[in-house]
Amino acid sequence: MLALVADPSRPHLLFVDDEESLRRPTAERLAEKGFEVVEAGSGEQALELLDQFAFDILVTDLRLPGMDGTQVIDAARQRYPAIVAIVITGYGTVRDAVEAIKKGAWDFITKPFHFDELMHVIQTSLERGRLRSENAYLRSQLEERYQFEGIIGRSRAMQPLFTMLETVARTASTVLVTGETGTGKEVIAKAIHHNSPRKTHRFVAMNCGAIPETLLEAELFGHEKGAFTGAIAMRQGKFEHANKGTLFLDEIGTMSLSVQTKLLRALAERSFERVGGNQTIKVDVRVIAATNAPLKEMIKDGTFREDLFYRLNVFPLTLPPLRERREDIPLLTKHFLIKFVPDGPPQISQGAMRALMAYDWPGNVRQLENAIERATTMRGSRPEIDVGDLPPEVQEAPPDTATPYVDLPDDGLDLNDYLASIERDLIRRALERTTGNRNKASEVLRIKRTTLVEKMKRLGLE
Ligand SMILES: Nc1ncnc2c1ncn2[C@@H]1O[C@H](COP(=O)(O)OP(=O)(O)OP(=O)(O)O)[C@@H](O)[C@H]1O
Ligand SMILES: [Mg+2]
């Protein structure tokens, strides 16, 4: 059977009609027009074919012996949500066609029809399908705004940052990134480098807080042979190493005043001498500094040089703490779930999501990342992460309300439709629980019986 749909470049069309005298010639003419056509004489046969092959287009008669056309469409759309489905109806049954469209058909044509009419309906539907997928593509492009080099954030606090990142990446300005621990200062620094014209050169990172004061100067600027005990050979410093690239100076607030002075000069003159040397070395380095220390207060205390601060603060970027952009928590959570369980990331229960949203995250994104990693292992083989899988301190955070957590999609949602779908679901479940007894169901939902009946009518439950 599959030999029939051999050419992958042609659109594949499944034609379902029990009337062979109509089906055969129409299928032949469609094939002449460039479609790969497969015929089915019944809904059941159509389903078998749909199981074997992903068709682009489904044209089906509405009235079929056995399962009818809408059921075929339903089944097809479950398998291939983007399938273009067109129904054929008998004369005078337009109302059925309208029903079919409500259930997911794209268009309809009434019998008897002229072949050109059918072609027109198919082509306009295909065009609509193409536009739809183009829109989906555009939307996915937009979504990238929520992500810059793997940095996630759709909150108002993060959006301007992405724009600034792109701008600053193009320049060679010195950047000062400030923010609490774990807010992503280092990821930001790397993103700037990888989007800058310097990306083919090195990104050299140095944690000033992790290097003993006595060695810091030599680490930064290098040293000559014999400059101090143990300097058995000349060694280049980070500045030279990062030439033409980017030097990331982390925890800049821990630097002693004497090293601050030397750094200031290197930034101002773009040159320096190695420790123990007198040859001036010129470099072309973009410096990105980061700190979670309150530099302005340190200036007042006299522990940080004001002139160095202004030299570094040419382009300031401040990362907001996670508790000030809680709307990013679901997005980050999903991102980390995929990161830790790439094939088949687990779901997360509403209770767990509420707890994540309620917690204050003093360790910010890093702490959230660790909590999610832990939860993915705590979960064992359960498909869903639950509150109990979260670290104790997160579990203890009092969730603000008992409202279920609802993700607000990027393109918004129709509030009335959404609320109606919740009502419909709860009413259905109440009726199921009471085996269809409306009196009892209305008690379960604590509404009047008449209100229940009204709602059922309005929600199409009758
Ligand atoms: N917006 C973000 N999107 C995705 N991951 C992020 C984001 N921000 C931070 N992370 C992740 O959180 C962790 C901590 O980030 P990073 O090391 O950049 O923080 P930091 O601000 O430098 O922290 P510290 O001050 O403790 O050095 C990293 O694993 C990083 O990948
Ligand atoms: Mg860091």
Side-chain angles (χ1 to χ4, degrees), residues 221-225 234-236 240 265 270-283:
F221 306 113
H223 60 74
E224 297 295 346
K225 182 177 174 178
M234 184 282 277
R235 200 163 156 248
Q236 283 192 345
E240 271 177 89
R265 197 197 133 214
R270 311 228 153 255
S271 64
F272 55 87
E273 286 91 38
R274 296 191 193 115
V275 175
N278 45 26
Q279 181 203 348
T280 301
I281 295 161
K282 285 216 154 287
V283 283

Side-chain angles (χ1 to χ4, degrees), residues 1-70:
M1 239 176 314
L2 290 190
L4 286 171
V5 284
D7 184 349
S9 64
R10 304 192 343 159
H12 294 113
L13 188 150
L14 178 60
F15 196 92
V16 194
D17 200 319
D18 55 325
E19 231 178 286
E20 200 181 325
S21 59
L22 174 123
R23 191 183 72 224
R24 240 323 112 69
T26 315
E28 272 165 22
R29 293 200 61 184
L30 283 167
E32 280 165 26
K33 291 282 183 187
F35 293 95
E36 283 290 339
V37 189
V38 177
E39 297 171 45
S42 71
E44 289 76 8
Q45 199 189 344
L47 284 208
E48 252 170 56
L49 290 161
L50 281 164
D51 274 334
Q52 293 167 37
F53 197 80
F55 289 91
D56 306 296
I57 310 153
L58 167 70
V59 182
T60 178
D61 192 3
L62 210 47
R63 296 259 161 94
L64 293 167
M67 77 188 294
D68 71 13
T70 38

